[in-house]
């Protein structure tokens, strides 16, 4: 593979992917970031959303939660709380988590509880979006 970089995607409980990659697109706190070989060095926060990376000319997709990415010209390390393939996501469980979070948001909460509930809702909605888009 001529024009690639080394990619490590690490979830809090397992290594999701390690190997050569042609292109990476991930959600950051200020929008989508695209990475190609030779990218300028940087560190950025990863936001919940859809992650995609190209290996051997084929795109692979995953649901990713909050984390960090270190980008170097020949290597990228992406660390996240969770990284899941669309086929690994339990759709029923994600729907139930979404409903629970929506109900909890309707109740009176402290600011901290509100942010935690909002994060739970975002994770559930992200899982459902990725499965709907890429898992048939």
């Amino acid at each position: 593979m001529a024009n690639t970089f080394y990619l490590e995607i690490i979830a809090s409980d397992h290594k999701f992917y390690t190997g050569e990659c042609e292109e990476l697109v991930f959600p950051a706190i200020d929008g989508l970031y695209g990475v190609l070989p030779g990218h300028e060095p940087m560190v950025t926060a990863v936001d919940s959303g859809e992650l995609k990376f190209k290996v051997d000319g084929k795109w692979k997709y995953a649901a990713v939660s909050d984390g960090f990415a270190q980008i170097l010209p020949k290597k990228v390390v992406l660390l996240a709380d969770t990284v899941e393939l669309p086929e690994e996501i339990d759709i029923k469980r994600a729907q139930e988590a979404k409903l629970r979070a929506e109900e909890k948001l309707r109740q009176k909460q402290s600011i901290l509880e509100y942010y935690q509930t909002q994060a739970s809702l975002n994770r559930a909605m992200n899982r459902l979006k990725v499965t709907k888009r890429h898992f048939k």
Side-chain angles (χ1 to χ4, degrees):
M1 290 198 258
N3 211 8
T4 62
F5 58 92
Y6 186 75
L7 174 63
E8 282 187 78
I9 302 173
I10 304 168
S12 61
D13 59 346
H14 70 285
K15 277 194 174 184
F16 179 79
Y17 176 81
T18 57
E20 295 298 313
C21 177
E22 298 161 23
E23 191 173 345
L24 169 69
V25 179
F26 65 91
I29 57 172
D30 54 350
L32 287 177
Y33 275 37
V35 179
L36 294 169
H39 195 287
E40 286 294 313
M42 65 179 288
V43 174
T44 188
V46 175
D47 203 5
S48 292
E50 179 183 71
L51 164 83
K52 66 181 187 174
F53 57 103
K54 190 187 286 188
V55 176
D56 295 328
K58 288 189 167 187
W59 285 103
K60 298 183 180 206
Y61 299 89
V64 65
S65 63
D66 298 342
F68 293 93
Q70 177 190 35
I71 302 167
L72 300 169
K74 295 182 180 182
K75 181 179 180 180
V76 174
V77 178
L78 190 141
L79 305 168
D81 289 336
T82 60
V83 184
E84 301 169 286
L85 291 170
E87 56 269 18
E88 294 175 339
I89 297 170
D90 184 339
I91 296 170
K92 184 176 179 188
R93 192 171 139 223
Q95 289 170 333
E96 290 169 356
K98 178 180 179 271
L99 292 174
R100 276 193 312 273
E102 289 172 338
E103 177 59 35
K104 197 168 181 183
L105 282 175
R106 288 191 270 280
Q107 300 168 4
K108 187 173 181 173
Q109 306 178 66
S110 70
I111 289 291
L112 177 60
E113 290 171 324
Y114 172 80
Y115 287 127
Q116 290 171 339
T117 304
Q118 190 64 48
S120 296
L121 179 60
N122 289 342
R123 278 191 304 274
M125 290 176 63
N126 179 49
R127 286 179 172 134
L128 292 170
K129 180 179 81 172
V130 170
T131 56
K132 185 176 182 180
R133 206 182 268 175
H134 301 289
F135 184 62
K136 287 138 178 89

